[in-house]
Amino acid sequence: MASAYNPIYTDVPEKDVFALHFLQTLSNLRTQNSFSSPDNKTSDRVKKIKKAAYVSMARAAGGTNRLWSRSLLHQAAKRNNKNVRFLRRKRRVTWLMRRRSNRGDPIEDVAAERLRNLVPGGGGMETSKLMEETAHYIKCLSMQVKVMQCLVDGLSPK
Amino acid sequence: MDLSGRFGARSGDGVPFREAAALESLHIGGGEEFRQMVPPENAGGFAALLELPPTQAVELLHSSSSSASQATTLHSLGTLSFPSNPLLMERASRFSVIATDNQQNGNVSGETTTTSSVPSNEHIKTEPAETETCDQAAVEKQSNRCGKRKELDKKVKSSTKKKNKSSEENEKLPYVHVRARRGQATDSHSLAERARREKINARMKLLQELVPGCDKIQGTALVLDEIINHVQSLQRQVEMLSMRLASVNPRIDFNLDTILASENGSLMDGSFNGATMQLAWPLQVMETEQSYHHRQLQQPPSQQWPFDGLNQPVWGREENQDHGNDHNNLMVGSTSLHPNQVKMEL
Protein backbone atom coordinates (compact mmCIF):
# COMPACT_ATOMS: atom_id res chain seq x y z
CA MET A 1 0.00 0.00 0.00
CA ALA A 2 1.06 3.60 -0.33
CA SER A 3 3.38 4.54 2.40
CA ALA A 4 3.30 8.26 1.81
CA TYR A 5 2.27 10.24 4.81
CA ASN A 6 -1.20 11.57 4.35
CA PRO A 7 -2.45 13.96 6.96
CA ILE A 8 -6.00 13.13 6.02
CA TYR A 9 -6.78 10.02 7.94
CA THR A 10 -8.63 7.51 5.86
CA ASP A 11 -7.64 4.06 6.95
CA VAL A 12 -10.16 1.30 6.95
CA PRO A 13 -9.79 -1.96 8.80
CA GLU A 14 -9.07 -5.23 7.11
CA LYS A 15 -11.58 -7.26 5.22
CA ASP A 16 -12.17 -9.73 8.00
CA VAL A 17 -13.50 -7.03 10.28
CA PHE A 18 -16.11 -6.19 7.72
CA ALA A 19 -16.84 -9.86 7.21
CA LEU A 20 -17.30 -10.46 10.88
CA HIS A 21 -19.69 -7.60 11.30
CA PHE A 22 -21.69 -8.52 8.28
CA LEU A 23 -22.05 -12.11 9.33
CA GLN A 24 -23.04 -11.15 12.81
CA THR A 25 -25.72 -8.88 11.45
CA LEU A 26 -26.92 -11.56 9.11
CA SER A 27 -27.11 -14.09 11.88
CA ASN A 28 -29.12 -11.62 13.88
CA LEU A 29 -31.47 -11.43 10.95
CA ARG A 30 -31.69 -15.19 10.90
CA THR A 31 -32.83 -15.38 14.43
CA GLN A 32 -35.71 -13.13 13.63
CA ASN A 33 -38.78 -15.20 12.98
CA SER A 34 -40.18 -13.09 10.25
CA PHE A 35 -37.17 -13.60 8.11
CA SER A 36 -37.06 -17.21 7.14
CA SER A 37 -40.75 -17.78 6.77
CA PRO A 38 -41.58 -18.42 3.16
CA ASP A 39 -44.46 -15.98 2.96
CA ASN A 40 -42.02 -13.19 3.37
CA LYS A 41 -41.79 -11.12 0.27
CA THR A 42 -38.46 -11.06 -1.40
CA SER A 43 -38.28 -7.34 -1.57
CA ASP A 44 -38.65 -7.11 2.17
CA ARG A 45 -35.86 -9.52 2.67
CA VAL A 46 -33.73 -7.68 0.22
CA LYS A 47 -34.29 -4.45 2.03
CA LYS A 48 -33.43 -6.02 5.33
CA ILE A 49 -30.27 -7.50 4.00
CA LYS A 50 -29.31 -4.25 2.41
CA LYS A 51 -29.84 -2.40 5.60
CA ALA A 52 -27.90 -5.05 7.46
CA ALA A 53 -25.08 -4.60 5.03
CA TYR A 54 -24.94 -0.88 5.53
CA VAL A 55 -25.23 -1.07 9.27
CA SER A 56 -22.53 -3.66 9.53
CA MET A 57 -20.35 -1.62 7.25
CA ALA A 58 -20.87 1.43 9.39
CA ARG A 59 -19.99 -0.52 12.50
CA ALA A 60 -16.95 -2.09 10.98
CA ALA A 61 -15.67 1.13 9.58
CA GLY A 62 -15.43 2.80 12.91
CA GLY A 63 -18.72 3.05 14.67
CA THR A 64 -19.49 6.59 15.53
CA ASN A 65 -16.09 7.96 14.77
CA ARG A 66 -16.83 8.90 11.22
CA LEU A 67 -19.60 11.23 10.30
CA TRP A 68 -21.19 9.09 7.67
CA SER A 69 -21.23 5.99 9.78
CA ARG A 70 -22.71 7.89 12.65
CA SER A 71 -25.58 9.21 10.63
CA LEU A 72 -26.11 5.81 9.01
CA LEU A 73 -26.46 4.14 12.35
CA HIS A 74 -28.68 6.90 13.51
CA GLN A 75 -30.98 6.45 10.55
CA ALA A 76 -31.13 2.74 11.12
CA ALA A 77 -31.87 3.12 14.78
CA LYS A 78 -34.60 5.61 14.09
CA ARG A 79 -36.26 3.30 11.63
CA ASN A 80 -36.20 0.49 14.12
CA ASN A 81 -37.66 2.80 16.73
CA LYS A 82 -34.87 1.83 18.98
CA ASN A 83 -33.85 4.15 21.72
CA VAL A 84 -31.37 6.53 20.34
CA ARG A 85 -28.28 5.62 22.23
CA PHE A 86 -25.74 7.84 20.60
CA LEU A 87 -25.12 11.29 21.78
CA ARG A 88 -26.12 13.72 19.18
CA ARG A 89 -23.16 15.79 18.34
CA LYS A 90 -23.89 19.44 18.45
CA ARG A 91 -23.11 20.52 14.99
CA ARG A 92 -21.52 23.80 14.48
CA VAL A 93 -24.03 24.29 11.81
CA THR A 94 -24.66 27.96 11.96
CA TRP A 95 -21.12 29.05 11.36
CA LEU A 96 -20.52 26.46 8.72
CA MET A 97 -23.72 27.14 6.92
CA ARG A 98 -22.97 30.78 6.88
CA ARG A 99 -19.67 30.10 5.26
CA ARG A 100 -21.21 27.74 2.80
CA SER A 101 -23.82 30.16 1.71
CA ASN A 102 -21.28 32.89 1.23
CA ARG A 103 -18.88 30.99 -0.90
CA GLY A 104 -20.61 29.74 -3.94
CA ASP A 105 -18.24 28.24 -6.37
CA PRO A 106 -20.86 27.13 -8.84
CA ILE A 107 -18.84 24.34 -10.36
CA GLU A 108 -18.16 22.67 -7.08
CA ASP A 109 -21.49 23.30 -5.50
CA VAL A 110 -23.60 21.36 -7.94
CA ALA A 111 -21.45 18.30 -7.64
CA ALA A 112 -21.09 18.79 -3.91
CA GLU A 113 -24.85 18.78 -3.56
CA ARG A 114 -25.11 15.50 -5.39
CA LEU A 115 -22.38 14.06 -3.26
CA ARG A 116 -24.14 15.21 -0.15
CA ASN A 117 -27.22 13.37 -1.20
CA LEU A 118 -25.24 10.23 -1.79
CA VAL A 119 -23.02 10.09 1.23
CA PRO A 120 -24.98 9.62 4.42
CA GLY A 121 -24.72 12.52 6.77
CA GLY A 122 -23.49 14.87 4.14
CA GLY A 123 -25.97 17.56 4.87
CA GLY A 124 -24.11 19.28 7.63
CA MET A 125 -20.62 19.26 6.31
CA GLU A 126 -18.33 21.66 4.69
CA THR A 127 -17.11 20.67 1.29
CA SER A 128 -13.64 19.72 2.39
CA LYS A 129 -14.94 17.59 5.22
CA LEU A 130 -17.41 16.10 2.83
CA MET A 131 -14.63 14.97 0.58
CA GLU A 132 -12.76 13.35 3.41
CA GLU A 133 -15.85 11.46 4.36
CA THR A 134 -16.41 10.50 0.76
CA ALA A 135 -12.95 9.04 0.53
CA HIS A 136 -13.45 6.95 3.62
CA TYR A 137 -16.91 5.99 2.48
CA ILE A 138 -15.63 4.81 -0.87
CA LYS A 139 -12.99 2.67 0.78
CA CYS A 140 -15.47 1.08 3.12
CA LEU A 141 -18.00 0.52 0.38
CA SER A 142 -15.51 -1.29 -1.79
CA MET A 143 -14.47 -3.43 1.17
CA GLN A 144 -18.07 -4.29 1.88
CA VAL A 145 -18.67 -5.14 -1.75
CA LYS A 146 -15.75 -7.53 -1.68
CA VAL A 147 -17.03 -9.22 1.44
CA MET A 148 -20.49 -9.64 0.04
CA GLN A 149 -19.14 -10.92 -3.22
CA CYS A 150 -17.16 -13.58 -1.46
CA LEU A 151 -20.15 -14.55 0.61
CA VAL A 152 -22.38 -14.84 -2.40
CA ASP A 153 -19.80 -16.84 -4.25
CA GLY A 154 -19.42 -19.16 -1.33
CA LEU A 155 -23.10 -19.67 -0.84
CA SER A 156 -24.21 -19.97 -4.40
CA PRO A 157 -24.53 -23.48 -5.71
CA LYS A 158 -21.62 -24.88 -7.69
CA MET B 1 7.91 53.38 8.68
CA ASP B 2 11.47 52.51 8.52
CA LEU B 3 10.60 49.01 7.71
CA SER B 4 8.61 49.75 4.64
CA GLY B 5 11.33 51.88 3.29
CA ARG B 6 13.93 49.33 3.93
CA PHE B 7 12.02 46.43 2.67
CA GLY B 8 10.78 48.22 -0.33
CA ALA B 9 14.25 48.89 -1.52
CA ARG B 10 15.07 47.27 -4.74
CA SER B 11 18.36 46.70 -6.31
CA GLY B 12 17.97 46.69 -9.96
CA ASP B 13 21.56 46.13 -10.75
CA GLY B 14 21.06 42.50 -11.31
CA VAL B 15 23.65 41.44 -8.87
CA PRO B 16 22.37 38.53 -6.96
CA PHE B 17 21.39 39.96 -3.69
CA ARG B 18 20.73 38.38 -0.47
CA GLU B 19 17.36 38.59 0.92
CA ALA B 20 16.37 39.06 4.43
CA ALA B 21 13.92 36.36 4.59
CA ALA B 22 10.69 37.48 6.06
CA LEU B 23 10.20 34.11 7.37
CA GLU B 24 6.92 32.97 8.50
CA SER B 25 8.13 30.05 10.39
CA LEU B 26 9.77 30.38 13.66
CA HIS B 27 9.60 26.82 14.55
CA ILE B 28 10.80 25.08 11.59
CA GLY B 29 11.18 21.54 12.49
CA GLY B 30 12.20 20.45 9.10
CA GLY B 31 15.82 21.26 9.08
CA GLU B 32 16.40 18.22 7.02
CA GLU B 33 14.75 19.81 4.09
CA PHE B 34 17.58 22.10 3.39
CA ARG B 35 20.60 20.61 1.95
CA GLN B 36 22.99 23.49 1.78
CA MET B 37 25.02 25.33 4.29
CA VAL B 38 25.24 29.02 4.45
CA PRO B 39 28.14 31.27 5.22
CA PRO B 40 28.01 31.89 8.90
CA GLU B 41 28.07 35.64 8.63
CA ASN B 42 24.32 35.73 8.31
CA ALA B 43 23.78 33.38 11.10
CA GLY B 44 23.93 35.87 13.88
CA GLY B 45 21.32 38.29 12.74
CA PHE B 46 18.85 35.75 11.60
CA ALA B 47 19.25 33.46 14.48
CA ALA B 48 18.30 36.28 16.75
CA LEU B 49 15.44 37.23 14.51
CA LEU B 50 14.14 33.78 14.19
CA GLU B 51 14.93 32.50 17.62
CA LEU B 52 16.11 29.42 15.97
CA PRO B 53 19.19 27.44 16.46
CA PRO B 54 21.70 29.13 14.28
CA THR B 55 22.28 26.20 12.00
CA GLN B 56 18.68 25.95 11.03
CA ALA B 57 18.34 29.65 10.54
CA VAL B 58 21.41 29.63 8.44
CA GLU B 59 20.11 26.83 6.34
CA LEU B 60 16.87 28.64 5.90
CA LEU B 61 18.52 31.78 4.78
CA HIS B 62 20.72 29.97 2.38
CA SER B 63 17.88 28.13 0.85
CA SER B 64 15.94 31.28 0.29
CA SER B 65 18.95 33.15 -0.88
CA SER B 66 20.03 30.42 -3.19
CA SER B 67 16.61 30.13 -4.60
CA ALA B 68 16.33 33.83 -5.09
CA SER B 69 19.80 34.30 -6.35
CA GLN B 70 18.56 33.09 -9.61
CA ALA B 71 16.06 35.88 -9.69
CA THR B 72 17.51 39.19 -10.48
CA THR B 73 14.81 41.65 -9.74
CA LEU B 74 12.12 42.01 -7.24
CA HIS B 75 9.51 41.39 -9.86
CA SER B 76 10.95 38.11 -10.78
CA LEU B 77 10.40 36.97 -7.27
CA GLY B 78 6.88 36.42 -8.34
CA THR B 79 8.16 33.46 -10.21
CA LEU B 80 10.80 32.23 -7.94
CA SER B 81 12.74 29.53 -9.56
CA PHE B 82 13.27 27.16 -6.79
CA PRO B 83 15.71 24.35 -6.88
CA SER B 84 14.60 21.70 -9.22
CA ASN B 85 14.21 19.15 -6.53
CA PRO B 86 10.46 18.93 -6.29
CA LEU B 87 10.47 17.94 -2.69
CA LEU B 88 12.69 20.79 -1.74
CA MET B 89 10.67 23.06 -3.93
CA GLU B 90 7.48 22.20 -2.30
CA ARG B 91 8.81 22.60 1.15
CA ALA B 92 10.94 25.60 0.49
CA SER B 93 8.01 27.39 -1.03
CA ARG B 94 6.76 28.02 2.39
CA PHE B 95 9.25 30.73 2.95
CA SER B 96 8.64 34.05 1.43
CA VAL B 97 11.59 36.06 0.38
CA ILE B 98 12.25 39.69 0.44
CA ALA B 99 14.76 41.58 -1.56
CA THR B 100 17.03 44.12 -0.05
CA ASP B 101 20.24 45.75 -1.06
CA ASN B 102 23.01 43.33 -0.87
CA GLN B 103 25.43 45.83 0.50
CA GLN B 104 23.15 46.62 3.28
CA ASN B 105 22.72 43.04 4.07
CA GLY B 106 24.91 43.19 7.07
CA ASN B 107 23.25 46.35 8.27
CA VAL B 108 19.86 45.10 7.38
CA SER B 109 20.15 41.98 9.32
CA GLY B 110 21.28 44.01 12.22
CA GLU B 111 18.55 46.49 11.76
CA THR B 112 15.89 44.01 11.15
CA THR B 113 16.66 42.49 14.41
CA THR B 114 16.39 45.77 16.21
CA THR B 115 13.72 47.66 14.39
CA SER B 116 11.68 44.78 13.28
CA SER B 117 12.15 42.61 16.24
CA VAL B 118 9.11 43.91 17.96
CA PRO B 119 6.61 44.11 15.13
CA SER B 120 7.91 41.14 13.28
CA ASN B 121 7.66 38.95 16.25
CA GLU B 122 4.02 39.66 16.14
CA HIS B 123 3.72 39.22 12.43
CA ILE B 124 6.12 36.54 11.62
CA LYS B 125 4.92 33.50 13.32
CA THR B 126 5.49 30.06 12.34
CA GLU B 127 3.07 29.03 10.04
CA PRO B 128 2.87 26.61 7.38
CA ALA B 129 -0.50 27.10 6.04
CA GLU B 130 -1.72 23.81 4.87
CA THR B 131 -4.10 22.65 7.42
CA GLU B 132 -5.01 19.17 6.72
CA THR B 133 -4.46 18.06 10.18
CA CYS B 134 -5.77 21.13 11.87
CA ASP B 135 -9.14 21.42 13.33
CA GLN B 136 -11.25 22.96 10.70
CA ALA B 137 -13.23 25.41 12.72
CA ALA B 138 -10.23 26.70 14.52
CA VAL B 139 -8.49 27.11 11.24
CA GLU B 140 -11.21 29.13 9.72
CA LYS B 141 -11.40 31.36 12.74
CA GLN B 142 -7.70 31.78 12.82
CA SER B 143 -7.40 32.56 9.20
CA ASN B 144 -9.96 35.27 9.67
CA ARG B 145 -7.98 36.65 12.50
CA CYS B 146 -4.76 36.58 10.67
CA GLY B 147 -6.38 38.29 7.77
CA LYS B 148 -5.92 41.49 9.69
CA ARG B 149 -2.39 40.53 10.38
CA LYS B 150 -1.89 39.95 6.73
CA GLU B 151 -2.95 43.44 5.93
CA LEU B 152 -0.30 44.76 8.23
CA ASP B 153 2.20 42.46 6.72
CA LYS B 154 1.28 43.58 3.30
CA LYS B 155 2.20 47.10 4.09
CA VAL B 156 5.53 46.08 5.40
CA LYS B 157 6.45 43.56 2.82
CA SER B 158 5.55 44.37 -0.66
CA SER B 159 7.16 41.45 -2.28
CA THR B 160 5.54 38.36 -3.50
CA LYS B 161 4.75 35.52 -1.30
CA LYS B 162 3.83 32.02 -1.86
CA LYS B 163 1.34 29.87 -0.16
CA ASN B 164 2.82 27.61 2.38
CA LYS B 165 2.67 23.91 2.24
CA SER B 166 3.58 21.95 5.19
CA SER B 167 3.87 18.53 6.53
CA GLU B 168 4.56 17.39 10.00
CA GLU B 169 4.64 20.78 11.63
CA ASN B 170 0.94 21.05 11.29
CA GLU B 171 0.31 18.87 14.19
CA LYS B 172 1.87 21.31 16.56
CA LEU B 173 0.17 24.35 15.20
CA PRO B 174 -3.38 25.25 15.93
CA TYR B 175 -3.82 27.87 13.26
CA VAL B 176 -2.96 28.74 9.78
CA HIS B 177 -1.31 31.59 8.04
CA VAL B 178 -1.94 32.18 4.45
CA ARG B 179 0.07 34.46 2.33
CA ALA B 180 -1.40 36.43 -0.47
CA ARG B 181 -0.17 35.80 -3.92
CA ARG B 182 1.11 38.63 -5.93
CA GLY B 183 -1.56 40.84 -7.33
CA GLN B 184 -4.36 39.29 -5.39
CA ALA B 185 -6.59 40.86 -2.83
CA THR B 186 -5.53 40.50 0.71
CA ASP B 187 -8.66 40.99 2.67
CA SER B 188 -9.44 38.28 5.09
CA HIS B 189 -12.32 36.90 3.12
CA SER B 190 -10.39 36.10 0.01
CA LEU B 191 -7.51 34.73 2.03
CA ALA B 192 -9.71 32.38 3.90
CA GLU B 193 -11.43 31.51 0.70
CA ARG B 194 -8.14 30.68 -0.87
CA ALA B 195 -7.16 28.50 2.06
CA ARG B 196 -10.42 26.70 1.80
CA ARG B 197 -9.98 26.12 -1.87
CA GLU B 198 -6.52 24.73 -1.32
CA LYS B 199 -7.91 22.32 1.20
CA ILE B 200 -10.56 21.21 -1.18
CA ASN B 201 -8.02 20.68 -3.91
CA ALA B 202 -5.88 18.57 -1.66
CA ARG B 203 -8.77 16.36 -0.80
CA MET B 204 -9.77 16.16 -4.41
CA LYS B 205 -6.36 14.76 -5.16
CA LEU B 206 -6.88 12.15 -2.51
CA LEU B 207 -10.18 11.17 -4.02
CA GLN B 208 -8.65 11.03 -7.44
CA GLU B 209 -6.23 8.42 -6.29
CA LEU B 210 -9.02 6.35 -4.85
CA VAL B 211 -11.31 6.32 -7.80
CA PRO B 212 -9.83 4.36 -10.68
CA GLY B 213 -9.35 6.29 -13.84
CA CYS B 214 -9.65 9.71 -12.33
CA ASP B 215 -6.11 10.94 -12.63
CA LYS B 216 -6.37 11.26 -16.35
CA ILE B 217 -9.24 13.64 -16.16
CA GLN B 218 -8.58 17.32 -16.03
CA GLY B 219 -10.90 19.73 -14.35
CA THR B 220 -12.71 19.67 -11.10
CA ALA B 221 -16.20 19.15 -12.36
CA LEU B 222 -15.46 16.03 -14.34
CA VAL B 223 -13.51 14.51 -11.54
CA LEU B 224 -16.35 15.14 -9.17
CA ASP B 225 -18.77 13.61 -11.62
CA GLU B 226 -16.57 10.58 -11.86
CA ILE B 227 -16.42 10.27 -8.11
CA ILE B 228 -20.17 10.51 -7.86
CA ASN B 229 -20.57 7.85 -10.49
CA HIS B 230 -18.21 5.62 -8.61
CA VAL B 231 -20.10 6.01 -5.36
CA GLN B 232 -23.37 5.33 -7.12
CA SER B 233 -22.00 2.25 -8.78
CA LEU B 234 -20.71 0.93 -5.48
CA GLN B 235 -24.06 1.46 -3.86
CA ARG B 236 -25.77 -0.28 -6.73
CA GLN B 237 -23.37 -3.16 -6.38
CA VAL B 238 -24.25 -3.47 -2.72
CA GLU B 239 -27.90 -3.56 -3.62
CA MET B 240 -27.31 -6.18 -6.32
CA LEU B 241 -25.33 -8.37 -4.03
CA SER B 242 -27.87 -8.10 -1.29
CA MET B 243 -30.53 -9.23 -3.76
CA ARG B 244 -28.44 -12.20 -4.67
CA LEU B 245 -27.85 -13.00 -1.05
CA ALA B 246 -31.54 -12.80 -0.35
CA SER B 247 -32.27 -15.26 -3.12
CA VAL B 248 -29.55 -17.60 -2.03
CA ASN B 249 -30.11 -17.59 1.66
CA PRO B 250 -33.29 -19.54 2.33
CA ARG B 251 -31.87 -22.55 0.64
CA ILE B 252 -28.85 -22.72 2.80
CA ASP B 253 -30.45 -21.69 6.04
CA PHE B 254 -27.14 -20.38 7.11
CA ASN B 255 -25.82 -23.77 7.86
CA LEU B 256 -22.40 -23.59 6.50
CA ASP B 257 -21.65 -27.23 6.28
CA THR B 258 -22.20 -26.79 2.62
CA ILE B 259 -19.55 -24.20 2.51
CA LEU B 260 -17.22 -26.57 4.19
CA ALA B 261 -18.13 -29.33 1.83
CA SER B 262 -17.74 -27.24 -1.24
CA GLU B 263 -14.60 -25.50 -0.20
CA ASN B 264 -12.03 -27.49 1.63
CA GLY B 265 -12.97 -30.87 2.95
CA SER B 266 -9.72 -31.22 4.75
CA LEU B 267 -10.26 -28.02 6.56
CA MET B 268 -13.58 -29.27 7.82
CA ASP B 269 -11.92 -32.16 9.54
CA GLY B 270 -9.35 -29.92 11.06
CA SER B 271 -11.91 -27.43 12.21
CA PHE B 272 -13.91 -29.97 14.13
CA ASN B 273 -10.90 -30.75 16.14
CA GLY B 274 -9.94 -27.20 16.71
CA ALA B 275 -12.66 -25.82 18.88
CA THR B 276 -10.20 -23.21 19.89
CA MET B 277 -9.75 -22.23 16.31
CA GLN B 278 -13.37 -21.29 16.06
CA LEU B 279 -12.98 -18.88 18.84
CA ALA B 280 -9.56 -17.77 17.90
CA TRP B 281 -10.35 -16.10 14.64
CA PRO B 282 -13.20 -13.90 15.81
CA LEU B 283 -11.18 -12.95 18.81
CA GLN B 284 -8.33 -12.00 16.60
CA VAL B 285 -10.63 -9.96 14.49
CA MET B 286 -11.98 -8.34 17.58
CA GLU B 287 -8.50 -7.38 18.54
CA THR B 288 -7.84 -5.96 15.15
CA GLU B 289 -10.93 -3.94 15.42
CA GLN B 290 -10.15 -2.75 18.89
CA SER B 291 -6.74 -1.68 17.80
CA TYR B 292 -8.30 0.07 14.87
CA HIS B 293 -10.61 1.96 17.16
CA HIS B 294 -7.77 2.85 19.42
CA ARG B 295 -5.77 3.98 16.48
CA GLN B 296 -8.58 6.13 15.36
CA LEU B 297 -8.71 7.74 18.74
CA GLN B 298 -5.04 8.41 18.94
CA GLN B 299 -4.49 9.49 15.42
CA PRO B 300 -4.95 13.12 14.54
CA PRO B 301 -6.78 14.15 17.62
CA SER B 302 -7.52 17.51 16.15
CA GLN B 303 -9.77 15.85 13.68
CA GLN B 304 -11.92 14.19 16.24
CA TRP B 305 -14.87 16.11 17.35
CA PRO B 306 -14.92 16.66 21.08
CA PHE B 307 -17.90 14.45 21.56
CA ASP B 308 -16.08 11.48 20.30
CA GLY B 309 -14.39 11.13 23.59
CA LEU B 310 -17.80 10.50 25.06
CA ASN B 311 -19.14 8.50 22.20
CA GLN B 312 -16.37 6.06 21.76
CA PRO B 313 -16.31 4.43 25.18
CA VAL B 314 -20.07 4.09 25.24
CA TRP B 315 -20.27 2.69 21.80
CA GLY B 316 -17.29 0.49 22.30
CA ARG B 317 -18.78 -1.07 25.37
CA GLU B 318 -22.02 -1.74 23.66
CA GLU B 319 -20.29 -3.22 20.72
CA ASN B 320 -18.37 -5.53 22.94
CA GLN B 321 -21.54 -6.74 24.51
CA ASP B 322 -23.12 -7.29 21.14
CA HIS B 323 -20.14 -9.18 19.98
CA GLY B 324 -20.19 -11.34 23.02
CA ASN B 325 -23.75 -12.35 22.38
CA ASP B 326 -23.23 -12.85 18.73
CA HIS B 327 -20.23 -14.94 19.35
CA ASN B 328 -22.32 -17.38 21.26
CA ASN B 329 -24.95 -17.45 18.59
CA LEU B 330 -22.51 -17.98 15.84
CA MET B 331 -20.59 -20.62 17.62
CA VAL B 332 -23.71 -22.56 18.31
CA GLY B 333 -25.23 -22.07 14.91
CA SER B 334 -22.40 -22.64 12.56
CA THR B 335 -19.73 -25.19 12.73
CA SER B 336 -16.62 -23.54 11.54
CA LEU B 337 -17.71 -20.63 9.54
CA HIS B 338 -14.92 -18.29 10.17
CA PRO B 339 -11.80 -20.14 9.19
CA ASN B 340 -13.43 -21.07 5.98
CA GLN B 341 -14.57 -17.60 5.44
CA VAL B 342 -11.05 -16.57 5.92
CA LYS B 343 -10.00 -19.09 3.35
CA MET B 344 -12.42 -17.75 0.85
CA GLU B 345 -11.66 -14.16 1.22
CA LEU B 346 -8.07 -13.77 2.18
Side-chain angles (χ1 to χ4, degrees):
Chain A
M1 291 307 210
S3 54
Y5 170 75
N6 197 343
I8 309 176
Y9 180 65
T10 51
D11 281 348
V12 301
E14 296 299 313
K15 209 194 289 188
D16 39 3
V17 175
F18 282 89
L20 179 67
H21 277 91
F22 188 46
L23 292 167
Q24 283 172 351
T25 326
L26 280 185
S27 72
N28 280 342
L29 278 183
R30 291 277 160 278
T31 59
Q32 288 177 21
N33 288 336
S34 62
F35 198 79
S36 25
S37 59
D39 54 330
N40 200 11
K41 290 210 188 85
T42 321
S43 60
D44 266 356
R45 207 185 301 145
V46 169
K47 268 190 241 169
K48 281 192 185 157
I49 289 188
K50 191 167 83 164
K51 196 175 80 167
Y54 276 109
V55 166
S56 75
M57 175 172 74
R59 282 214 199 120
T64 46
N65 284 342
R66 308 297 301 209
L67 267 166
W68 64 263
S69 62
R70 206 177 303 168
S71 84
L72 240 186
L73 293 169
H74 207 77
Q75 285 173 19
K78 253 199 293 189
R79 260 188 255 140
N80 288 345
N81 294 331
K82 274 190 208 167
N83 295 331
V84 177
R85 301 186 281 189
F86 329 105
L87 282 174
R88 187 146 222 179
R89 178 177 57 89
K90 261 190 298 204
R91 294 210 208 117
R92 312 183 194 189
V93 171
T94 47
W95 194 80
L96 286 177
M97 288 191 106
R98 208 191 321 136
R99 285 205 68 90
R100 255 202 295 143
S101 59
N102 283 344
R103 320 266 168 254
D105 198 1
I107 301 178
E108 295 180 355
D109 272 359
V110 170
E113 270 308 305
R114 290 169 67 189
L115 206 50
R116 278 207 190 87
N117 293 336
L118 280 181
V119 176
M125 288 192 262
E126 264 265 353
T127 311
S128 54
K129 190 78 176 163
L130 178 70
M131 306 186 85
E132 270 186 61
E133 294 291 318
T134 312
H136 195 257
Y137 187 58
I138 288 178
K139 278 193 191 171
C140 293
L141 265 182
S142 40
M143 209 54 101
Q144 183 73 20
V145 161
K146 278 186 216 158
V147 165
M148 291 175 79
Q149 186 73 48
C150 288
L151 195 53
V152 166
D153 289 341
L155 286 177
S156 64
K158 290 294 162 65
Chain B
M1 252 178 76
D2 274 347
L3 276 179
S4 50
R6 184 117 359 245
F7 277 75
R10 309 176 177 206
S11 67
D13 54 356
V15 179
F17 41 68
R18 310 260 193 82
E19 295 96 32
L23 296 168
E24 308 178 44
S25 306
L26 277 183
H27 15 125
I28 298 159
E32 72 277 4
E33 303 156 359
F34 304 102
R35 321 270 164 92
Q36 300 154 2
M37 290 308 298
V38 163
E41 59 204 41
N42 291 325
F46 283 101
L49 177 62
L50 303 178
E51 301 165 4
L52 264 186
T55 50
Q56 276 183 346
V58 148
E59 284 178 330
L60 272 177
L61 175 59
H62 183 68
S63 78
S64 21
S65 65
S66 66
S67 60
S69 61
Q70 307 163 22
T72 53
T73 66
L74 186 59
H75 285 283
S76 63
L77 282 180
T79 60
L80 277 172
S81 49
F82 283 110
S84 57
N85 187 355
L87 181 63
L88 182 59
M89 206 161 40
E90 191 176 286
R91 295 209 177 161
S93 67
R94 79 175 76 182
F95 302 110
S96 65
V97 176
I98 294 187
T100 64
D101 287 335
N102 55 351
Q103 286 109 359
Q104 293 174 346
N105 194 23
N107 301 341
V108 163
S109 26
E111 273 169 345
T112 51
T113 50
T114 53
T115 58
S116 66
S117 59
V118 169
S120 60
N121 281 340
E122 302 169 18
H123 298 176
I124 305 172
K125 294 245 165 132
T126 346
E127 254 55 64
E130 184 73 295
T131 63
E132 275 133 359
T133 62
C134 292
D135 192 348
Q136 181 145 352
V139 158
E140 312 270 355
K141 278 185 226 161
Q142 287 296 338
S143 56
N144 270 340
R145 219 182 295 162
C146 56
K148 298 192 190 107
R149 221 178 279 159
K150 286 313 142 246
E151 284 159 8
L152 276 176
D153 277 341
K154 196 66 166 122
K155 286 183 214 147
V156 169
K157 297 148 190 157
S158 56
S159 65
T160 65
K161 292 132 186 147
K162 291 238 176 175
K163 172 99 175 23
N164 292 344
K165 264 209 176 282
S166 88
S167 55
E168 304 89 32
E169 283 98 10
N170 274 335
E171 317 226 358
K172 309 175 196 157
L173 309 161
Y175 53 96
V176 167
H177 276 238
V178 180
R179 288 284 182 180
R181 285 187 222 260
R182 183 185 182 82
Q184 289 186 341
T186 58
D187 55 326
S188 62
H189 287 299
S190 53
L191 275 175
E193 168 74 17
R194 203 168 306 118
R196 177 179 167 270
R197 224 177 284 146
E198 297 287 341
K199 252 198 291 186
I200 291 181
N201 286 338
R203 280 155 176 82
M204 187 87 66
K205 254 191 297 181
L206 176 71
L207 277 173
Q208 266 184 311
E209 291 164 18
L210 266 187
V211 177
C214 248
D215 9 348
K216 310 298 192 314
I217 306 180
Q218 294 300 328
T220 329
L222 296 173
V223 166
L224 278 174
D225 284 343
E226 191 59 39
I227 291 170
I228 290 175
N229 285 340
H230 192 244
V231 170
Q232 277 174 340
S233 84
L234 280 176
Q235 283 179 339
R236 257 180 275 138
Q237 272 181 344
V238 168
E239 186 160 351
M240 204 71 57
L241 285 172
S242 67
M243 273 197 322
R244 286 180 65 186
L245 263 184
S247 68
V248 154
N249 263 336
R251 218 171 332 139
I252 302 300
D253 191 23
F254 218 79
N255 185 0
L256 298 156
D257 286 333
T258 44
I259 293 187
L260 304 177
S262 61
E263 297 287 317
N264 300 323
S266 60
L267 186 64
M268 186 170 73
D269 296 341
S271 61
F272 272 115
N273 295 337
T276 56
M277 202 163 74
Q278 300 178 17
L279 290 170
W281 184 75
L283 284 178
Q284 181 194 6
V285 171
M286 283 293 304
E287 279 167 26
T288 335
E289 188 188 339
Q290 286 295 320
S291 62
Y292 172 69
H293 282 306
H294 287 312
R295 237 185 316 137
Q296 270 201 324
L297 279 180
Q298 284 154 17
Q299 278 268 338
S302 52
Q303 271 193 331
Q304 302 285 340
W305 292 102
F307 276 78
D308 273 1
L310 297 174
N311 277 347
Q312 176 60 15
V314 173
W315 182 232
R317 260 186 277 123
E318 286 165 347
E319 268 195 344
N320 285 339
Q321 290 165 14
D322 286 349
H323 291 166
N325 296 339
D326 289 347
H327 272 306
N328 297 336
N329 290 345
L330 280 175
M331 286 311 113
V332 165
S334 66
T335 46
S336 63
L337 156 69
H338 307 295
N340 247 16
Q341 207 70 5
V342 172
K343 275 286 170 184
M344 280 199 308
E345 304 171 57
L346 302 180

